[in-house]
Amino acid sequence: MRKTLRLSVPLCVLALAAPLMAQDEEVPQDEIIVTGRGLDPALSSGIYATTTVEREQIVAAPSGRIEDVLRGVAGFQQFRRSDSRSSNPSAQGVTLRALGGNATSRALVLLDGVPLADPFFGYIPLSAIAPETLGQIRVTRGGGSGPFGAGALAGTIELESANPSASGPFLGNAAINSRAETEASGVLTQRLGRGFAVASGRWDRGQGFYTTPQDQRVPATARAAFDSWNAALRGVAPLTDEVEVQARVAAFRDTRTLRFEGADSLSEGQEASLRIVGRGAWQFDALAYVQARDFANIVISSTRFTPVLDQRRTPSTGIGGKFELRPPIAEGHDIRIGADYRRADGELQEDAISAFSGNITERRRAGGATANLGIFVEDDWQIGPVIINGGLRADRTSITGGFYRAVTPAGALVSELIAPDRSDWALSWRAGASFYATRRLDLRAAAYTGLRLPTLNELYRPFVVFPVVTEANAALENERLEGFEIGLDWQPVNALVLSLTAFDNKVENAIANVTIAPNLRQRQNLPAIEAQGIEAGLAAKLGTVSLDGALAWTDATVRGEGTSLALDGNRPPQTPEFSATLTLGWQPAAGWRVAGTLRHVSTQFEDDLETDRLAPATTLDAFLAAPLAGKLSLVLRGENLTGEEIVTRNQGGSIDLGVPRTFWLGLRYGF
């Protein structure tokens, strides 16, 4: 029997009182046979370091943001400590196990099976994910095979939409904070025969806070203003008693200002997916999706405070799909075979501007396409108290159409790169076993390999964060992971669950921004990033009191040679050695919730040479929910109650800060 570690994050979703949505004739709950989910997790999910976050925690983050929910998982890390209201979207890479080093995601993030990473940059559009629409999150740390396994270098984060019984006919949220910033969201669910449809929307806006410290502000300094919305429509219907179809369309738009007046960014996207799931004797999962994304950004000079770069557009498209079949061909075996495909293409369009005259000095375009076709087979074999897993995956990767071209406003060529097309085959595998030692103790061990393609951004887009120039590198090779881990899940008494994992992971050809001269960096393949560490989780419940915690200690080091020899032995940029979270909760009566969360992250470095230090930070968040009438509740929450100075960027002493002390007052209905 597999034990699931229950994590808890302080609850906080704002709410808006509203009448129930008018409905057609009610369908009895026991006749609703569709689930809106994919196939059940494989038996082998208990072999690997997996944490499941349930809905009651998902709709409960003090900030109301999905990244706050994920911070309660041991080993989860964003590229920067900023949340998705006060950072540049292109820096929103996520990873696990301290395997970061640049802003691209090394963890695979899926929503109902669809990869969420931006096709050009590889970042995760966090503001497009509404926590109130989710029913469960499953985080698997470590490399993996199987569907879309080519992106799961550091692990997989699977987001799953809520079903009608979890969301009810109407959910509403509204809140305002101490800076007069607002949040509002709604989820409408309509049962349609044996199926259902869900419409959701969310709008977040505000003046933001000053990310610049008081002693570094100038007249051009601006608050980190933000204005974002997302909307989605999802329908689920049965085709037969054992087969259901799931369709989803969604759109989002996010605008932000960072540090200076006029330093505005825009990210937006639209997507659609179709999924058919069969739950008969021959189970299958067939998925197809298409994504359209765009990104724009204006860079302001930090000395003259005028525009120096206009990234006018970065249109990109992602298409893909998968097919997984689970044939019942051997007793005691859970076999999965299938294939998946992903293709990303995009193009950067930007203008360099003179800080002195305001005239365009250079027009640039860059882009290309990457693709990955994977074929996989896996088998879970149960022999009494032992489950054995083995998986093999073959990937054909290709990088095509790559180019960079810069011309003068008159059209004269300044520089040009036409990258040769290339393709390759790669083999990945994973194997592991779990042993049900006693009724209260599970032991597990696993080894695995993984693969990640470089993004179009890493291959072809140079950028400047004054005074540092970072060059692209069209010759980047695929990253490869090798790793192993051992762990246990122990429940000494019914009220307490402990989880412990020790791991050793190595990313060969790790892509990083490598310093090659003063104020000059280039994206290069490092020989390796090595990470060894321990992850732990705790969940306890004593009557009305609960305690939930997670910690990760990681010794991560760069292996350098040649141009990267000076980095040998350094810690990767933006990588903490230690992080921990602890939540104490109290539910004195139905509908009530009081919780406090203490978080700590240790020292990090901004750069690869370890010259710019990010000080450790310890924060305290709090949450209070009190029922008012029926399904209407009052919600109070606080972020960074101690007013800790959270340094999120330090480039030669130029500092950016994270969220200051913030109080929220809100209502929620239907939760």
Side-chain angles (χ1 to χ4, degrees):
M1 174 179 178
R2 176 176 163 243
K3 302 177 181 67
T4 300
L5 178 65
R6 178 184 177 274
L7 296 181
S8 178
V9 245
L11 293 147
C12 87
V13 169
L14 7 182
L16 177 64
L20 290 176
M21 175 184 178
Q23 297 205 19
D24 297 331
E25 182 180 352
E26 283 290 328
V27 179
Q29 181 66 28
D30 59 3
E31 293 185 18
I32 304 297
I33 65 168
V34 299
T35 66
R37 302 192 308 269
L39 297 177
D40 292 336
L43 288 174
S44 57
S45 62
I47 294 175
Y48 302 92
T50 301
T51 297
T52 301
V53 185
E54 301 295 346
R55 179 171 172 80
E56 64 179 14
Q57 297 111 293
I58 295 171
V59 296
S63 67
R65 320 293 292 187
I66 190 65
E67 60 268 31
D68 203 6
V69 178
L70 293 170
R71 287 190 190 111
V73 177
F76 174 81
Q77 176 196 348
Q78 293 175 254
F79 177 63
R80 295 198 186 279
R81 297 171 176 178
S82 310
D83 67 14
S84 57
R85 295 166 293 191
S86 58
S87 64
N88 190 287
S90 63
Q92 289 178 180
V94 302
T95 190
L96 297 161
R97 292 193 164 165
L99 291 175
N102 67 24
T104 301
S105 294
R106 286 194 169 105
L108 175 64
V109 183
L110 305 173
L111 175 57
D112 295 327
V114 177
L116 289 182
D118 183 87
F120 189 93
F121 293 94
Y123 71 83
I124 306 301
L126 297 170
S127 62
I129 305 171
E132 56 271 18
T133 65
L134 302 178
Q136 189 181 83
I137 301 174
R138 188 165 55 252
V139 180
T140 302
R141 298 177 291 275
S145 302
F148 294 133
L153 197 76
T156 307
I157 301 173
E158 299 173 85
L159 312 176
E160 186 177 277
S161 293
N163 61 38
S165 61
S167 60
F170 176 76
L171 302 178
N173 310 275
I176 188 169
N177 72 11
S178 48
R179 293 185 296 275
E181 298 161 1
T182 58
E183 300 175 359
S185 69
V187 181
L188 299 173
T189 302
Q190 176 70 62
R191 302 189 191 278
L192 304 170
R194 293 192 300 168
F196 62 88
V198 179
S200 62
R202 176 167 174 151
W203 184 24
D204 297 75
R205 65 185 299 273
Q207 65 175 339
F209 55 89
Y210 285 107
T211 60
T212 308
Q214 178 72 44
D215 60 356
Q216 295 186 7
R217 294 177 196 170
V218 296
T221 299
R223 292 174 176 267
F226 61 96
D227 192 338
S228 65
W229 60 263
N230 63 73
L233 179 62
R234 184 169 185 259
V236 180
L239 297 180
T240 70
D241 288 344
E242 297 177 339
V243 179
E244 69 180 56
V245 59
Q246 306 168 13
R248 183 177 185 270
V249 293
F252 71 90
R253 181 181 175 89
D254 185 346
T255 60
R256 305 180 198 174
T257 299
L258 188 61
R259 198 172 177 84
F260 298 119
E261 293 286 350
D264 302 326
S265 67
L266 163 68
S267 60
E268 61 183 0
Q270 306 82 37
E271 59 187 61
S273 62
L274 183 67
R275 190 180 198 183
I276 301 175
V277 179
R279 306 182 193 280
W282 289 69
Q283 298 182 53
F284 65 88
D285 187 348
L287 169 70
Y289 72 89
V290 60
Q291 299 165 326
R293 301 280 177 83
D294 203 353
F295 174 78
N297 186 53
I298 296 176
V299 178
I300 299 296
S301 166
S302 59
T303 56
R304 298 188 62 85
F305 312 112
T306 59
V308 291
L309 184 67
D310 182 4
Q311 294 173 270
R312 296 180 287 108
R313 294 195 65 202
T314 316
S316 61
T317 304
I319 61 171
K322 74 165 186 179
F323 181 78
E324 177 183 342
L325 179 66
R326 300 184 180 182
I329 57 178
E331 185 176 355
H333 291 262
D334 185 1
I335 299 172
R336 303 182 301 285
I337 57 175
D340 59 78
Y341 176 75
R342 281 186 288 172
R343 185 180 189 276
D345 66 81
E347 179 181 299
L348 168 71
Q349 302 170 14
E350 68 179 22
D351 297 331
I353 302 171
S354 169
F356 298 93
S357 67
N359 296 327
I360 295 175
T361 59
E362 196 172 275
R363 297 189 185 275
R364 304 167 186 154
R365 295 175 59 199
T370 62
N372 181 89
L373 172 65
I375 304 169
F376 62 89
V377 58
E378 286 210 5
D379 182 23
D380 297 341
W381 184 18
Q382 185 165 12
I383 313 170
V386 177
I387 299 175
I388 301 173
N389 166 257
L392 194 62
R393 178 183 174 92
D395 287 281
R396 186 184 188 277
T397 63
S398 65
I399 300 174
T400 58
F403 75 97
Y404 173 83
R405 181 179 175 85
V407 300
T408 67
L413 184 65
V414 176
S415 63
E416 185 175 38
L417 166 71
I418 303 297
D421 294 349
R422 49 195 169 108
S423 62
D424 196 9
W425 279 95
L427 194 66
S428 303
W429 56 268
R430 71 174 183 175
S434 65
F435 174 50
Y436 179 37
T438 71
R439 185 171 66 90
R440 296 188 177 277
L441 177 64
D442 290 347
L443 305 176
R444 46 186 166 80
Y448 36 76
T449 63
L451 172 73
R452 183 183 78 86
L453 279 74
T455 64
L456 299 173
N457 177 57
E458 293 168 317
L459 289 164
Y460 308 120
R461 173 186 169 257
F463 68 94
V464 179
V465 179
F466 185 83
V468 179
V469 176
T470 301
E471 298 177 340
N473 186 351
L476 290 172
E477 300 178 14
N478 296 340
E479 295 181 336
R480 295 282 298 173
L481 173 84
E482 297 177 354
F484 65 89
E485 63 190 54
I486 57 173
L488 60 87
D489 299 300
W490 182 38
Q491 190 174 11
V493 295
N494 291 339
L496 177 65
V497 178
L498 298 169
S499 175
L500 186 67
T501 302
F503 66 89
D504 188 328
N505 286 184
K506 177 181 180 180
V507 181
E508 298 178 343
N509 295 327
I511 299 171
N513 300 331
V514 177
T515 298
I516 57 178
N519 294 327
L520 179 61
R521 297 173 186 163
Q522 184 188 43
R523 295 189 180 96
Q524 294 185 3
N525 288 109
L526 298 171
I529 292 177
E530 298 177 352
Q532 302 86 34
I534 295 173
E535 299 159 343
L538 163 71
K541 188 170 180 60
L542 302 172
T544 60
V545 177
S546 62
L547 184 68
D548 299 86
L551 68 84
W553 172 83
T554 310
D555 180 17
T557 56
V558 171
R559 295 303 171 208
E561 63 183 24
T563 57
S564 62
L565 182 60
L567 310 183
D568 191 63
N570 286 359
R571 195 187 313 166
Q574 301 290 340
T575 300
E577 184 177 18
F578 178 81
S579 62
T581 179
L582 184 67
T583 297
L584 178 64
W586 179 44
Q587 293 180 277
W592 285 84
R593 170 75 175 178
V594 181
T597 296
L598 186 67
R599 285 199 176 100
H600 175 78
V601 60
S602 65
T603 301
Q604 301 169 226
F605 292 101
E606 177 75 28
D607 63 323
D608 57 337
L609 297 177
E610 296 189 345
T611 56
D612 296 324
R613 178 177 178 270
L614 307 180
T618 302
T619 58
L620 177 64
D621 302 327
F623 170 82
L624 168 66
L628 296 177
K631 296 183 178 181
L632 182 65
S633 297
L634 173 71
V635 176
L636 302 174
R637 54 192 173 106
E639 302 177 68
N640 192 9
L641 293 179
T642 59
E644 177 84 344
E645 183 177 84
I646 307 168
V647 179
T648 63
R649 186 188 68 92
N650 176 11
Q651 186 167 300
S654 176
I655 302 292
D656 280 346
L657 301 177
V659 63
R661 183 186 295 111
T662 305
F663 297 97
W664 289 87
L665 169 65
L667 298 171
R668 68 181 184 184
Y669 180 89
F671 284 81

